[in-house]
Amino acid sequence: MIKHQKPEAFYDTFERKGHDEKVTHYCPGCGHGTAQKLIAEAIDLLGIQDRVIFHSPVGCSVFSYYYYDTGNIQCSHGRAPAVATGVRRTLDDAIVISYQGDGDLAGIGLAEIMHAANRGEQITVFFINNAIYGMTGGQMAPTTLLGQKTATTPLGRTHGRDGEPMGMCEIMEALTSPVFIERVSLSTAAGVMKARKAIRKGLESQIQHKGFSFVEILSPCPINWKMTPVSARKWMKETLEKRYPVKTFRDQITERPEIDTHQRLPWLNDEELIELLQGNEVLPVCSGSGEAPEEQRIKIAGFGGQGVLSAGVLLAKCGISEGLEATWLPSYGPEMRGGHANATVLLSPDRIGSPVVDDPNVLIAMNGPSLDLFEDTVAPGGWIFVNSSIISREVRRKDVHVFKIPASDIAKEHRLLAAANVVMITAYMVNTKAVSVETLRSILPVSVKKQEYVQTNIKIIEQTIAYCRDA
Amino acid sequence: MSKRLMKGNEAIIHGALTGGATHFFGYPITPASEIAHAAAQYFTLAGRTFLQAESEVSSINMLYGAASAGARVMTASSGPGIALMAEGLSYMAGAELPCVVVDVQRAGPGLGNIWPEQSDYNMVIKGGGHGNYRNIVLAPNSALEMFEFTRTAFALADAYRMTVFILSDAYIGQMMEAIDISGEMLKGERKPWALYGDRNSRNNLITSILMNPELQQRHNEKLQHKYREVEKQCISFEQVLTEDAEVIFVAFGISSRICMSALRALRARGIRAGMLRPKTLYPFPGEALASLAAGGGRTFIVVELNDGMMADDVRLAVGSEPMLLRYNWLGGVVPTVDEIVQRTLQDLQKEA
């Protein structure tokens, strides 16, 4: 039964329009008015008016908010499915409608519609296909037929220059996520009846949490087609529907299970959230070895895989635990070389300026190339720690302290070669006393990913201390 | 104390969650991807929403939707991605939607490289998209400020219904420092203008279109009035040893960290160096700079990893009188402390 009174989901007068508030902005013979009325009636019938959020992107659809007495979002050209996604992921109970034209959906917004469809967003998309751009003045749309004359194809669309008209339902059908895909046509009264049903089903699919639904509505645009309303409908029936067959492409509303596109885990309250963010990485407070050290500008360098970056992290953590300021910066910029890694750590009782260091006072060299690269940069009076398992040459500098330790061999003895870095930083701590080895022991449990390695690391630290004592 | 060591990029997400953020939409790009990684982990585990978008264009429009629905929402990207968001940012400004956008700057133009520049300054500070609008721009220079600025950015965005940018760079994002996560948890409230899919909000409309030029003008005037208010209320900056300074560095982000070391080195050599560091780039601390310039005699050195974009704003603030030097590095090259010190010494000598 066709209702002739204005649906509840429409405003009585279109005050947002600002003038001629009783009539729409659509041209004589346009299909938008019919399509929008069918949608409004479906909203009434399904009792969802309060829940609807109606998206009108750019095109003739842009002023939908003049008419719908529902929540309204006007959005940018082609992006309504992305905007609708944002709404969908925020409001569980809203009924999210995207109402888009052919330039909007199949042209500029092709990425957004395809990905929203592929994610199976629980939204309903009404796609008005009138084979032309309306609002901007009758230019070629992706759906314009071959030979069809438009403002930008004055001699007609050609295959060679412009490509073929795009069938969006056919493209949509290639995706498995959409639950309901149907093309209808407003060319005849019978077509309108079918459209009414498809529009309702598209919304029901969403109400039942079945997923993404897509209703393509072939719609007349007599003004831009340069036809009378009657001849426009005839052309639709005889020509447009030949290229865009009216049919149900997919209807799996009944058989599909309800889906939860959010896949959200339980909401954490404040305490749980803090616990999550702190993880098990909150650093203990340690007293250190007494006097605050002078600023430590530490460069740790070696092969990728020698734990250079993580050694730096351990040092920075020790500093923080002892109440020092600390920065850690991975190899970056001109000093980076292929396959090599280095980290810069600053420890200071004062606020740290640049985290980038050009004159380290400590160099921890895990391999030969690192020593070659950074030996000359070390500040006079500084320290160079050498992994003598790998580096055979002597340190040339005479104005720095040098300590050599077979770090890789010590780590290997404990069958944990990856802990050579721990040997090196332990040697640094024992020799300079800038931070305490005790602190290193304390932070291991909040630093080592595999807890079974904590004890091995402790043993490696003990052996390193013994080595340093005897050296 | 409950301190953790973490990267600036990760600190952003810790700040966001303690600042009441509930939604993150984003697209990967180096050197900002770690923010999305952290969001994917922490937003998801916290029962909040993380979604990888198909493009930056979609990201910003997902923000548009979530913000319309009242969420505290954010994204993170780098120059090329921010450029793609320009239209969306303009729409957000027109529709007065609040959101937080993080820009971890890399070198440009074009694909450039992934090393740090500060060359998104004009794009982000002057608006970026079409139309008369502004973003509030916060410029952290440490992992701790990445945490703190992001944490408070959501309340700022809500209060003014504006986009708040966190303008960072590849160094500040990569650097690890200590963060204390024990602070108060902030939360958004129901917004009278937003859409909730219920009867009370049914009449609300999110739009940036006003066909009547006079109405559009009135809307623009309202926005301009808001921006003047932001300029009154939100300026934030730090002064380091400016009182007796003969040389004043003006720098933000990683440049300000290097200048901090440089000014200490200069002081050690008897040069009275200081620094004004904007923490907000819009609104810009122009008055503070003007009062430092008043009386004359001071040299301003604007140190930036771009071609002097902020220096233009500093010149505007201090007027044509004071000596203003532009120290610029481009392409991802970051100066050493010593380079800045030596150049300053040379220039001061020339001046004398």
Side-chain angles (χ1 to χ4, degrees), chain B residues 35-155:
Chain B
I35 301 176
H37 301 170
Q41 184 182 349
Y42 289 107
F43 272 65
T44 305
L45 290 175
R48 275 63 168 175
T49 298
F50 168 86
L51 184 65
Q52 181 171 332
E54 59 271 21
S55 69
E56 288 89 347
V57 173
S58 288
S59 300
I60 193 68
N61 280 286
M62 289 175 186
L63 262 65
Y64 189 94
S68 298
R72 285 194 162 179
V73 60
M74 72 180 297
T75 188
S77 189
S78 188
I82 302 293
L84 277 172
M85 293 181 196
E87 184 204 29
L89 288 164
S90 170
Y91 270 72
M92 304 270 311
E96 294 192 88
L97 292 172
C99 72
V100 174
V101 178
V102 184
D103 179 3
V104 184
Q105 295 170 95
R106 52 187 272 167
L111 199 49
N113 63 42
I114 59 172
W115 312 121
E117 260 191 9
Q118 297 177 315
S119 52
D120 294 353
Y121 183 93
N122 279 350
M123 173 168 75
V124 169
I125 277 80
K126 313 290 180 186
H130 61 289
N132 305 294
Y133 77 95
R134 293 292 195 165
N135 308 307
I136 295 174
V137 184
L138 312 178
N141 83 345
S142 65
L144 182 62
E145 285 189 350
M146 292 282 253
F147 174 80
E148 279 297 339
F149 287 10
T150 309
R151 192 175 127 76
T152 49
F154 291 92

Side-chain angles (χ1 to χ4, degrees), chain A residues 11 16 49-51 53 58 62-63 65-66 69-77 79 82-83 85-87 89-91 94 111-112 115-116 119 121 264-268 270 273-274 276-279 281-285 313 316-317 320-321 326-330 332-333 336 350-356 358, chain B residues 1-5 7 14 17-18 22-23 25 31 42 44-49 51 54 57-58 61-62 64-66 68-69 71 87 91 114-116 170-171 174-178 181-183 185 187 195-199 202-209 211 238 254 257-258 260-261 264 277 336-338:
Chain A
Y11 286 114
R16 283 171 175 161
Q49 185 182 5
D50 287 340
R51 293 165 64 194
I53 298 185
V58 173
V62 72
F63 297 121
Y65 65 85
Y66 288 171
D69 183 1
T70 63
N72 279 289
I73 300 181
Q74 182 279 313
C75 30
S76 64
H77 200 19
R79 318 302 174 206
V83 176
T85 297
V87 172
R89 302 290 172 134
T90 307
L91 304 173
E112 285 75 14
H115 286 279
R119 284 191 301 268
E121 291 295 338
R264 275 200 299 254
L265 296 173
W267 179 274
L268 300 190
D270 289 1
L273 182 58
I274 291 237
L276 170 74
L277 296 178
Q278 291 181 341
E281 295 195 26
V282 171
L283 296 167
V285 178
V313 169
K317 284 182 174 178
I320 294 165
S321 279
T327 64
W328 170 97
L329 191 70
Y332 233 93
M336 205 178 81
D350 303 317
R351 190 175 160 193
I352 295 170
S354 174
V356 190
D358 30 331
Chain B
M1 181 186 98
S2 30
K3 281 187 178 168
R4 270 192 68 174
L5 179 73
K7 282 189 178 184
H14 284 68
L17 283 168
T18 59
T22 55
H23 288 70
F25 302 97
Y42 289 107
T44 305
L45 290 175
R48 275 63 168 175
T49 298
L51 184 65
E54 59 271 21
V57 173
S58 288
N61 280 286
M62 289 175 186
Y64 189 94
S68 298
E87 184 204 29
Y91 270 72
I114 59 172
W115 312 121
Y171 264 16
Q174 288 298 314
M175 184 169 52
M176 278 184 148
E177 288 177 301
I181 310 167
S182 51
M185 306 294 273
K187 279 185 191 65
L195 293 163
Y196 294 94
D198 60 18
R199 176 158 295 182
R202 194 177 86 196
N203 204 35
N204 287 345
L205 166 65
I206 305 296
T207 186
S208 67
I209 183 172
M211 286 301 282
E238 180 192 8
I254 184 62
R257 293 294 291 261
I258 300 169
M260 183 76 179
S261 294
R264 284 176 183 157
R277 170 172 79 95
T336 64
V337 173
D338 199 47

Side-chain angles (χ1 to χ4, degrees), chain B residues 119-340:
Chain B
S119 52
D120 294 353
Y121 183 93
N122 279 350
M123 173 168 75
V124 169
I125 277 80
K126 313 290 180 186
H130 61 289
N132 305 294
Y133 77 95
R134 293 292 195 165
N135 308 307
I136 295 174
V137 184
L138 312 178
N141 83 345
S142 65
L144 182 62
E145 285 189 350
M146 292 282 253
F147 174 80
E148 279 297 339
F149 287 10
T150 309
R151 192 175 127 76
T152 49
F154 291 92
L156 201 56
D158 281 353
Y160 292 99
R161 295 182 61 181
M162 281 174 73
T163 295
V164 176
F165 260 92
I166 308 290
L167 188 66
S168 176
D169 59 67
Y171 264 16
I172 301 296
Q174 288 298 314
M175 184 169 52
M176 278 184 148
E177 288 177 301
I179 308 296
D180 192 339
I181 310 167
S182 51
E184 184 201 352
M185 306 294 273
L186 309 174
K187 279 185 191 65
E189 286 169 5
R190 187 176 165 110
K191 297 158 182 169
W193 50 265
L195 293 163
Y196 294 94
D198 60 18
R199 176 158 295 182
N200 288 337
S201 65
R202 194 177 86 196
N203 204 35
N204 287 345
L205 166 65
I206 305 296
T207 186
S208 67
I209 183 172
L210 287 160
M211 286 301 282
N212 178 329
E214 272 142 36
L215 292 181
Q216 184 68 31
Q217 164 156 296
R218 219 177 295 159
H219 179 56
N220 264 288
E221 283 166 357
K222 181 185 157 208
L223 294 180
Q224 292 300 318
H225 178 75
K226 178 168 80 175
Y227 302 150
R228 296 299 87 76
E229 195 59 26
V230 166
E231 286 159 16
K232 267 190 221 148
Q233 302 295 336
C234 302
I235 292 176
S236 176
F237 57 89
E238 180 192 8
Q239 300 201 63
V240 183
L241 302 174
T242 47
E243 227 164 77
D244 68 339
E246 52 191 320
V247 179
I248 294 181
F249 290 114
V250 187
F252 68 97
I254 184 62
S255 308
S256 68
R257 293 294 291 261
I258 300 169
C259 286
M260 183 76 179
S261 294
L263 78 87
R264 284 176 183 157
L266 285 164
R267 289 243 165 203
R269 289 167 184 250
I271 307 285
R272 295 195 310 278
M275 175 166 67
L276 186 138
R277 170 172 79 95
K279 292 181 179 178
T280 54
L281 291 167
Y282 179 83
F284 190 68
E287 277 182 29
L289 282 161
S291 54
L292 286 173
R298 282 175 160 148
T299 298
F300 292 85
I301 303 180
V302 187
V303 180
E304 298 175 85
L305 307 184
N306 61 42
D307 66 359
M309 296 179 184
M310 184 173 69
D312 290 346
D313 287 337
V314 175
R315 176 55 89 193
L316 208 58
V318 300
S320 56
E321 279 294 309
M323 173 74 82
L324 187 152
L325 303 171
R326 296 161 185 253
Y327 290 5
N328 305 121
W329 284 265
L330 314 174
V333 176
V334 178
T336 64
V337 173
D338 199 47
E339 271 178 87
I340 293 179

